[in-house]
Amino acid sequence: PPAGAVQTLVACYADGSLDVRDARSGNAYGRLLVGDVDGDVALDARMSTAVATSNDRLISIDLSTMSAKASAPLNEARLGGVALLAGGAFAVATNENAESSGAGIAVYRLHRGAAPRLVSTAAAGETPEGIAVAADGRTMYVASVNGNVVTRLVLNDDGTTRKTGTARTATRPFGVAVDARDGLLLVADNDTPTLSGAQSRPGLEAFSLPGMRRVGAAISTGSPNALPLGVAVDPDSKRLFVTNEGDDDVAVYALPSLHREAT
């Protein structure tokens, strides 16, 4: 891509590549192979560096040259979600293979042109998947799919973390997002009748911040087979977007009312 281009990077799980596009036009620049699979990708605010997860490694990509550097493998891990911390000085990845007391998150130190270096791990519930970082760049929220809990951790200066709160959720929390303007944490529960039968309640939950207390009842995002996954907040339009994998659609909600506006 030309220097200064505003880019969109899409993690393509099955073939381990990043699809690189112009964020405004959608035109494709090309694809970058980063590993056997590609779980997630995050891009820094300066659009100089991206990080992507691939099985047991974190990949750092210098976007000026599209050159990639891989971390050392993390033992028995399958890294999924990834986010940048402290202005891009660190990256945090969730470990989908983790048990409740295992290494649920892995924190890496980033240096441009060098491979990511693991500095700490921490428990974050069973099967952590989704992750969201607050505006301070240090507070993170991790959704534990099989633990039915969201854990809040804060990054210390040395790259270690400390747990500062938890919230019990409904079944299979996956996507998570922070609405800083209204002090809300939004969580998509990926429940399905295949697992829960007639008791299945896929949908959207809201928790107040900083207390992490539930706000109202869960809201349906679609059909019983909706499989809500991704959650994203647009603060400028005061809207929340939820991707329903099973329904093949996106549900749109007003913030902070969570009134459903469109699908």
Side-chain angles (χ1 to χ4, degrees):
V6 180
Q7 298 172 47
T8 295
L9 278 71
V10 182
C12 302
Y13 181 82
D15 65 4
S17 72
L18 290 179
D19 186 26
V20 185
R21 294 178 177 269
D22 184 278
R24 296 188 175 93
S25 69
N27 292 334
Y29 289 125
R31 306 186 78 181
L32 178 67
L33 183 66
V34 297
D36 295 331
V37 298
D38 192 0
D40 194 14
V41 60
L43 177 66
D44 73 1
R46 300 182 301 277
M47 286 175 290
S48 62
T49 303
V51 288
T53 55
S54 182
N55 281 326
D56 55 0
R57 298 172 186 264
L58 185 74
I59 315 294
S60 176
I61 300 136
D62 184 336
L63 295 179
S64 65
T65 61
M66 285 295 168
S67 57
K69 300 279 188 179
S71 71
L74 182 61
N75 187 38
E76 297 183 350
R78 185 177 70 185
L79 301 181
V82 65
L84 291 166
L85 301 168
F90 295 89
V92 57
T94 57
N95 175 12
E96 300 168 3
N97 283 347
E99 298 182 355
S100 58
S101 60
I105 63 163
V107 178
Y108 293 84
R109 189 73 168 89
L110 301 179
H111 291 287
R112 192 167 185 182
R117 180 176 59 86
L118 180 69
V119 291
S120 72
T121 61
E126 184 181 357
T127 321
E129 289 268 9
I131 187 166
V133 176
D136 64 3
R138 291 182 173 270
T139 303
M140 65 201 90
Y141 298 86
V142 181
S144 167
V145 173
N146 291 324
N148 300 335
V149 66
V150 173
T151 301
R152 180 172 60 204
L153 301 107
V154 177
L155 179 75
N156 298 318
D157 289 342
D158 63 357
T160 61
T161 61
R162 63 187 186 277
K163 185 167 76 172
T164 61
T166 59
R168 297 297 303 178
T169 70
T171 304
R172 292 182 60 80
F174 196 105
V176 59
V178 177
D179 173 15
R181 184 197 304 265
D182 303 302
L184 293 175
L185 179 70
L186 293 314
V187 179
D189 298 318
N190 193 233
D191 199 6
T192 168
T194 303
L195 294 174
S196 302
Q199 302 304 312
S200 175
R201 297 291 183 271
L204 178 68
E205 295 183 274
F207 299 85
S208 64
L209 295 175
M212 296 185 73
R213 292 182 176 146
R214 188 187 307 277
V215 178
I219 300 170
S220 172
T221 62
S223 75
N225 295 297
L227 291 176
L229 286 177
V231 186
V233 169
D234 177 9
D236 294 333
S237 69
K238 299 182 181 179
R239 288 189 175 96
L240 174 75
F241 300 85
V242 180
T243 58
N244 290 316
E245 182 184 35
D247 285 351
D248 298 329
D249 61 21
V250 177
V252 186
Y253 300 86
L255 288 171
S257 69
L258 296 182
H259 171 73
R260 189 165 173 163
E261 292 188 335
T263 301

